Every structure is written in structure tokens, then in C-alpha cells.
């Protein structure tokens, strides 16, 4: 589904990713762990197509397509979903209007008819319950005045609505208390199928107690330096990242 | 270039209105004294060039006859089309007449200031006189529609709207049509009586190579409320001058506006609020969105007179530039002679929030659609203040083109 080969990316002339390789197949959950500054969030941004980052070499193939050739919105329509580390507040744009527009643009891309108001609202009801998101939040402006936990749950709610093939969770656990963490993880687990895949980017092991990965990769200085099963996360938790560096 | 203002006045012909002698005399002297159109060295026209206007060769459209009568159902319409005008019949509490029929004594605003008003005073070819009787509340909105298409015409009108004590009315001022090398100069006087309430939605959408000058003068008595939303779309050249004389105690004025410029369009909004009595409030909120090489101007002046204590005047102007070649000139002016007042103003000009744009795109929304959503959100406060469904629908359609 996703194949990243020898990816090099920089921001403002500083090279952050220095030859990253990663293969993700449908149905798999991959965790990317690593110390601050290793390039975790850069990887998430590059996958989503953020313009601030320049890909200097390497390739990303997603579902047979050259991802780097696609615009931000085309990637989303093809099924890439980034759950933001810092979801953006957009005053004046209602959550519902935003999501309806997004869903219909994605559906149009996939050759599906637009949802009726009724179909849309019943989906909102169903999916917001999944992450225990207060239904009244749906009618508020996007993320405006949301607590940290509500913002993260809103990200997973959007993911549930948009049904991506590849979900990239960028530090979704940061700023969450244990209850919110459990709710978010439960949401992600419920959405898992044999056709989609999840990339969990995290600094800490604790999220992986709830979202159990098939593979754990250690990202260090722009490259994946170690890959293992879920036990690798526990080892990192115990020993820290220093033993990787040596 | 010399005396081009005098020549311009000549081609517009003599007014069909019966204005007070003093007023026309003042305008005549004003034109003679100025002789030429102002240049960018004149402060009120600092950002707005009039050379193209001075060079226009136009024929005035006169509205002299009796109007065609309309049977309004949901709205009360007054329509100025090229050559004809039509008007709904009176309803209880409401009198409609041709501005030509207004007597010199009934033209209360005996001032004229600047070349635009001088030209209007000397050459207006009609207009509508509307009176809402004391204590009456008119249920249907009154729509004054200017629908002039064609080339090389001049539309010079002077409307008078009197809303007597405790009366209430909602008015729509609509300018549409497609024009080429044409000129409009529409002056509207509002007299707002004690405790009266007036809501005006103004939409300027005359397309093509058209030069539009719009003056509204508002005279507010005590405890009255006047609210006006000015929306400008698709116009080549628009200059608005809104001047409020808040004469009575505790009057409230709301002036909102949203303007959208594309191509090489120019939209110039001047407002001037005179706080002449104590306890008055004014609230101004203008939003500008400019694409391509468009130019915007917002010049908001507030004057608080010496006796006008306990005034609360608020002014905000925010602008979005969606291209590096677009430009915005914002100038707040405060003149305060009272010592116990609250006046605040703020102005910002910037680009779309790149983070918000990315967030929307990352959910599959195209850049164009995301931009449209953010522009809509940016102008939401102004759009929400508009009560005219006709204007709301039209603007929404335009912004989603």
C-alpha cells in the first residue's frame, strides 16, 4: 500500500530525512518511534504534502501512485489521512459544513454520489459516538475553543467519517489524559480493517498499550535504524533511545 | 485637464429636482471654484484616480414621468431601469413619490460638499421620496433597484428617505446591470426620527466598465437606530461616502461592509461619523478581500463634538490580500473634542491563514474551495448582519463561482 524508498527531505535547507525506507501493507499497524528531532513529524508532513518541506530525493508510492506528484487534497482523496499533532482552529467554519464539504469532495473523486443531509447526519451521530465526542461540538466552528482532548477526538472522528486507506497519527497521544487516550485508541482500533493501514507516530510507548502495532520502527537522525515487533517499544521504554545511538 | 469638471457637469444637464436655491448656488460655486476633478494630491482622493472618469463622454438618463405602478406582494419595489421607473403603490403608513415632486422646503439637508455631491445637486434626474409615518412599522422590505445596462450613460439620482418618530423600516439598495464607459452618482438622504429604526442592506454589483459614486447622508435623532451593510462585488470602480450625523442623544449607528475586488477593480469606502450628542454609539466593521491586482481603500473618520460626552465609537477594518499584486489602503481618523468618551479602532491587512488552508486541503477540500470557505468565515460577521435574503443568496452564489 505504501512504499517509501530512500526518502530525503529538508526544511529551510536543513536536511531532516536522510534516506528513509518503509513498507506498509494493508491491514498492518506500524509504529514509528524516536527521540525529539529524529524526523517523525517531518515524515507525517511529507506524507500529507505540506509545502514547507522539500523532498530532495527518493520516492513514495501509495497504492501504485506516485504520491509526491499529488497535491495535498488529491492525497486526501486517494485515502491518506493525517491526524494532526496540533489540530488547527478555524473560526467561522462550522465543523459540520467543513466535514460535509470534505466528504462530498472525496466521494466525488471516488465516483460516488453526494450524501443527502439525512445520511450525513446519521453518519455524524454514529461516528461521533465512536469517540464519545459531544454531538454539539459538530455544530461549532472547527476546533475553536475545543480542549486538547476534544481536538484529538475530533481528529479521530474525522478519520471515522472519511474512512481513509492510510491513517497517519502524528503524536496523537500528546496532551491526552489516560481516559481520552483510551477513547482515541478504541476509536482507531474499531476503524481497523484488513484493507486499511495505520501509521502511529509517537514519542512514548504508552499509546501502543492501546493500539497494538505489528511493527515498531525506530527513527533516528532521519533514518529508520531498527525494526522489530511490539516488544521493541517496551524495550525502548525501558532503556530509552540512547542505546540505539551507540 | 483644466476645467474638466465644468465640462463634465455640462454634459449631465440640469437637474429635474426642485432643490433650495441656496443649495444649488453653493454647488455651482463649488464646481466653479474647483473647476477640475480632484487629483491624488487631494486628501479625500489620495488613493483613487479620477482621470478616467473625467474623460467619460456620457448621456444622462432622466426619470421624469410618472412611475409604472407595481403591485408588490412580498416586497415594495422601486425600480430604476434605463428610461423607465416603476414603483409599488403606497401601503398604510408609507408614501412613495418621485423626488421631482419634493418641494424645496422639504429637502432638509441644505448642504453640499465635494465635487460628487455638487454634481448631484446640479444634475440629478430623478429619485424616489419615501416617507414612513410616525409610529408605523412597515412589514415588507422596500427594495430600491437600480438596473441600468448599456454604454455611455450617466445615472444621477437623489433619493430622500424619511422615517418619522418611532417608525421602523427595512430597505434594500441594489445596483445591478452591465455597463460600459458609464457613470453613476446616487445620493441618498436618510432622516431617522426619534426612536425610529432603519435597517439598510446595500449591494453594489454593476458589472463592466462602470464608475459608481454613492453617497449616503444619515441624520439621526435621539434614541434612533440606523444600520447599514454595504456589499460590493464585481464592480470596476466604486466609491462610497457614508456620512452620519448623530444629532440626537443616545442614537446608535451600525455601518458594516464587505467588499470583493478582482482584476484591476478599485473599491473605495469612506465613512464619516459625527457624534454630535451625548451617549451615542457607533459600530463600524468593514472587511475587504482582494485578488489579482485589485485595490481597496477604507477611510473611516469619527468626529466627537465637544458636548458629545459618553460616546462609544468602535471601528474595525480587516482585509485579506489573496495575491501579492493586490493592495489595500486603510486609514482610520479620529477627531475627539469631548473628554469622557470611548473610541477604539483597529485595522489589519494580511493573507489567508496557511495552517487553516493546509488543514482543509488535508481533508480533501480543493484549494479553491478551502479559500472560499475561509473567505466566507472571514466575512461572516458582515454577512450575518445582512437581512436581505435576495442579497444573501446572490453573494453566496458569487463567492462559490
Amino acid at each position: 500500500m505504501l512504499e517509501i524508498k530512500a526518502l530525503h527531505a529538508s526544511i529551510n535547507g536543513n536536511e531532516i530525512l536522510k534516506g528513509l525506507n518503509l513498507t506498509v501493507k494493508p491491514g498492518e499497524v506500524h509504529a514509528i518511534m524516536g527521540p525529539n528531532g529524529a524526523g517523525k513529524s517531518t515524515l507525517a508532513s511529507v506524507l500529507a504534502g505540506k509545502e514547507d518541506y522539500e523532498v530532495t530525493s527518493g520516492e513514495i508510492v501509495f497504492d501504485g501512485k506516485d504520491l509526491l506528484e499529488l497535491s495535498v487534497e488529491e492525497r486526501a482523496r486517494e485515502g491518506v489521512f493525517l491526524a494532526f499533532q496540533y489540530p488547527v482552529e478555524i473560526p467561522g467554519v462550522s465543523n459540520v459544513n467543513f466535514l460535509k464539504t470534505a466528504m462530498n469532495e472525496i466521494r466525488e473523486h471516488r465516483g460516488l454520489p453526494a450524501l443527502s443531509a439525512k445520511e450525513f447526519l446519521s453518519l455524524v451521530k454514529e461516528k461521533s459516538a465512536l469517540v464519545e465526542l459531544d454531538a454539539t461540538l459538530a455544530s461549532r466552528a472547527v476546533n475553536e475553543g475545543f480542549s486538547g482532548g476534544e481536538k484529538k477526538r475530533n481528529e479521530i472522528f474525522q478519520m471515522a467519517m472519511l474512512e481513509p486507506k492510510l491513517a497517519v497519527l502524528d503524536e496523537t497521544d500528546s496532551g491526552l489524559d489516560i481516559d481520552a487516550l483510551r477513547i482515541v485508541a478504541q476509536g482507531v482500533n474499531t476503524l481497523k480493517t484488513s484493507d486499511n493501514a495505520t501509521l502511529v507516530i509517537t514519542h512514548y510507548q504508552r499509546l501502543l498499550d492501546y493500539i497494538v502495532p505489528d511493527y515498531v520502527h525506530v527513527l533516528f537522525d532521519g533514518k529508520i535504524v531498527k525494526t522489530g515487533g511490539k516488544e521493541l517499544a517496551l524495550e525502548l521504554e525501558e532503556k530509552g533511545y540512547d542505546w540505539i545511538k551507540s | 485637464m483644466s476645467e474638466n469638471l465644468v465640462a463634465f457637469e455640462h454634459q449631465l444637464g440640469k437637474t429635474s429636482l426642485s432643490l433650495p436655491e441656496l443649495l444649488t448656488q453653493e454647488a455651482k460655486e463649488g464646481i466653479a471654484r474647483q473647476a477640475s476633478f480632484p487629483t491624488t494630491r487631494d486628501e479625500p482622493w489620495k488613493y483613487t484616480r479620477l482621470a478616467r472618469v473625467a474623460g467619460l463622454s456620457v448621456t444622462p438618463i432622466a426619470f421624469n414621468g410618472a412611475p409604472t405602478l407595481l403591485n408588490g406582494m412580498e416586497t415594495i419595489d422601486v425600480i430604476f431601469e434605463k428610461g423607465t421607473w416603476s414603483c409599488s403603490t403606497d401601503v398604510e403608513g408609507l408614501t412613495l413619490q418621485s423626488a421631482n415632486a419634493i418641494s424645496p422646503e422639504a429637502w432638509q439637508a441644505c448642504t453640499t460638499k465635494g465635487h460628487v455631491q455638487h454634481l448631484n445637486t446640479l444634475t440629478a434626474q430623478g429619485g424616489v421620496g419615501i416617507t414612513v409615518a410616525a409610529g408605523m412599522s412597515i412589514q415588507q422590505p422596500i427594495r430600491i433597484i437600480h438596473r441600468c445596462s448599456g454604454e455611455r450613460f450617466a445615472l444621477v439620482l437623489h433619493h430622500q428617505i424619511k422615517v418619522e418618530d418611532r417608525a421602523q423600516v427595512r430597505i434594500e439598495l441594489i445596483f445591478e446591470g452591465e455597463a460600459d464607459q458609464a457613470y453613476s452618482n446616487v445620493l441618498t438622504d436618510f432622516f431617522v426620527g426619534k426612536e425610529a429604526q432603519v435597517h439598510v442592506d446595500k449591494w453594489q454589483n454593476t458589472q463592466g466598465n462602470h464608475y459608481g459614486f454613492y453617497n449616503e447622508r444619515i441624520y439621526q435623532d435621539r434614541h434612533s437606530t440606523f444600520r447599514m451593510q454595504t456589499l460590493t462585488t464585481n464592480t470596476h470602480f466604486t466609491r462610497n461616502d457614508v456620512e452620519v450625523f448623530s444629532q440626537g442623544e443616545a442614537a446608535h449607528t451600525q455601518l458594516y461592509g464587505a467588499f470583493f475586488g478582482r482584476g484591476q477593480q478599485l473599491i473605495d469606502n469612506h465613512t464619516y461619523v459625527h457624534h454630535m450628542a451625548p451617549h451615542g454609539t457607533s459600530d463600524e466593521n468593514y472587511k475587504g478581500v482582494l485578488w489579482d491586482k485589485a485595490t481597496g481603500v477604507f477611510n473611516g473618520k469619527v468626529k466627537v463634538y465637544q458636548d458629545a460626552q459618553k460616546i462609544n465609537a468602535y471601528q474595525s477594518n480587516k482585509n485579506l490580500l489573496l495575491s501579492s499584486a493586490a493592495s489595500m489602503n486603510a486609514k482610520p481618523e479620529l477627531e475627539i473634542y469631548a473628554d469622557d468618551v470611548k473610541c477604539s479602532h483597529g485595522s489589519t491587512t494580511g493573507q489567508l491563514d496557511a495552517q487553516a488552508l493546509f488543514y482543509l486541503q488535508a481533508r480533501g477540500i480543493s484549494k479553491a474551495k478551502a479559500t472560499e470557505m475561509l473567505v466566507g468565515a472571514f466575512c461572516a460577521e458582515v454577512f450575518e448582519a445582512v437581512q436581505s435574503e435576495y442579497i444573501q443568496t446572490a453573494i453566496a452564489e458569487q463567492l462559490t463561482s
Side-chain angles (χ1 to χ4, degrees), chain B residues 221-240:
Chain B
D221 210 333
R222 66 179 160 81
H223 295 282
S224 65
T225 299
F226 179 86
R227 293 192 300 258
M228 181 159 78
Q229 282 60 241
T230 299
L231 298 138
T232 311
T233 53
N234 281 317
T235 63
H236 175 63
F237 175 109
T238 300
R239 165 65 177 245
N240 286 306

Side-chain angles (χ1 to χ4, degrees), chain A residues 73 76-77 82 105 155 158, chain B residues 359-361 363-364 366-367:
Chain A
E73 57 267 32
R77 292 171 193 170
L82 171 65
E105 294 221 1
E155 293 294 289
Q158 290 173 32
Chain B
Y359 191 75
L360 295 176
Q361 284 180 271
R363 296 296 177 255
S366 70
K367 192 171 183 178

Side-chain angles (χ1 to χ4, degrees), chain B residues 163-182:
Chain B
V163 184
E164 295 180 349
D165 297 349
R166 300 177 317 281
Q168 290 184 27
V169 69
R170 182 160 85 70
I171 291 164
E172 299 173 17
L173 283 172
I174 296 163
F175 301 87
E176 52 192 27
E178 199 156 345
D180 190 33
Q181 302 294 321

Side-chain angles (χ1 to χ4, degrees), chain A residues 4-239:
Chain A
I4 304 176
K5 285 183 195 159
L7 184 69
H8 290 253
S10 54
I11 183 164
N12 301 327
N14 296 325
E15 188 167 59
I16 309 287
L17 298 182
K18 303 171 181 173
L20 187 141
N21 296 294
L22 179 69
T23 303
V24 177
K25 294 195 180 74
E28 292 178 351
V29 176
H30 289 242
I32 307 246
M33 300 184 71
N36 288 330
K40 301 192 300 291
S41 282
T42 298
L43 175 61
S45 297
V46 168
L47 284 171
K50 199 162 192 195
E51 279 170 12
D52 308 354
Y53 294 88
E54 192 194 351
V55 174
T56 49
S57 68
E59 62 175 348
I60 305 178
V61 178
F62 175 70
D63 250 4
K65 293 196 175 72
D66 181 356
L67 195 73
L68 296 173
E69 284 298 307
L70 302 180
S71 67
V72 179
E73 57 267 32
E74 285 166 341
R75 294 178 195 204
R77 292 171 193 170
E78 287 293 333
V80 177
F81 181 92
L82 171 65
F84 282 60
Q85 182 177 5
Y86 303 107
V88 183
E89 295 194 13
I90 312 180
V93 174
S94 84
N95 230 352
V96 165
N97 185 26
F98 156 58
L99 256 184
K100 200 169 177 182
T101 308
M103 283 193 82
N104 284 335
E105 294 221 1
I106 289 174
R107 287 178 69 88
E108 193 185 330
H109 179 78
R110 294 178 186 165
L112 298 167
L115 286 173
S116 72
K118 203 177 156 194
E119 289 169 320
F120 176 75
L121 286 176
S122 72
L123 262 182
V124 166
K125 211 171 157 188
E126 178 197 332
K127 304 294 186 184
S128 58
L130 194 68
V131 285
E132 298 177 28
L133 190 67
D134 186 344
T136 60
L137 288 183
S139 60
R140 297 222 318 246
V142 178
N143 293 321
E144 194 186 27
F146 285 28
S147 70
E150 283 169 343
K151 281 181 184 169
K152 294 297 172 78
R153 279 187 276 157
N154 195 25
E155 293 294 289
I156 306 305
F157 164 58
Q158 290 173 32
M159 176 178 152
M161 292 291 285
L162 301 178
E163 299 184 325
K165 289 183 205 155
L166 174 70
V168 181
L169 311 182
D170 186 11
E171 306 274 4
T172 294
D173 50 335
S174 72
L176 289 187
D177 61 32
I178 205 75
D179 289 331
L181 189 70
R182 184 183 45 76
I183 292 165
V184 162
Q186 224 164 46
V188 173
N189 290 333
T190 313
L191 297 172
K192 195 184 153 186
T193 70
S194 56
D195 297 324
N196 62 24
T198 312
L199 200 57
V200 184
I201 294 175
T202 182
H203 186 87
Y204 299 105
Q205 184 271 338
R206 67 172 190 165
L207 180 63
L208 304 180
D209 285 341
Y210 299 93
I211 303 173
V212 180
D214 299 302
Y215 298 95
V216 173
H217 308 276
V218 181
L219 181 61
F220 180 71
D221 194 24
K223 278 187 250 182
I224 284 173
V225 293
K226 200 171 179 64
T227 294
K230 61 183 179 201
E231 65 288 346
L232 178 57
L234 294 167
E235 204 174 344
L236 286 166
E237 183 78 357
E238 197 181 317
K239 298 183 183 169

Side-chain angles (χ1 to χ4, degrees), chain B residues 16-85:
Chain B
S16 58
L17 272 51
S18 311
L19 295 165
E21 187 55 35
L22 233 100
L23 191 66
T24 47
Q25 197 53 40
E26 208 176 318
K28 257 181 214 159
E29 286 168 16
I31 296 280
R33 204 167 40 241
Q34 270 184 264
S36 307
F37 274 94
T39 67
T40 50
R41 285 188 299 276
D42 296 289
E43 196 58 29
W45 300 95
K46 195 173 170 184
Y47 308 106
T48 301
R49 294 182 176 278
L50 298 173
R52 291 248 161 76
V53 179
L56 289 175
S57 160
V58 290
T59 310
I61 311 174
F63 299 93
N64 291 327
T68 308
L69 290 182
L70 303 167
N71 287 314
M73 302 288 281
E74 280 157 15
T75 55
I76 296 165
D77 289 350
V78 179
I79 305 170
F80 292 90
E81 267 170 307
K82 205 171 175 179
T84 58
W85 76 293

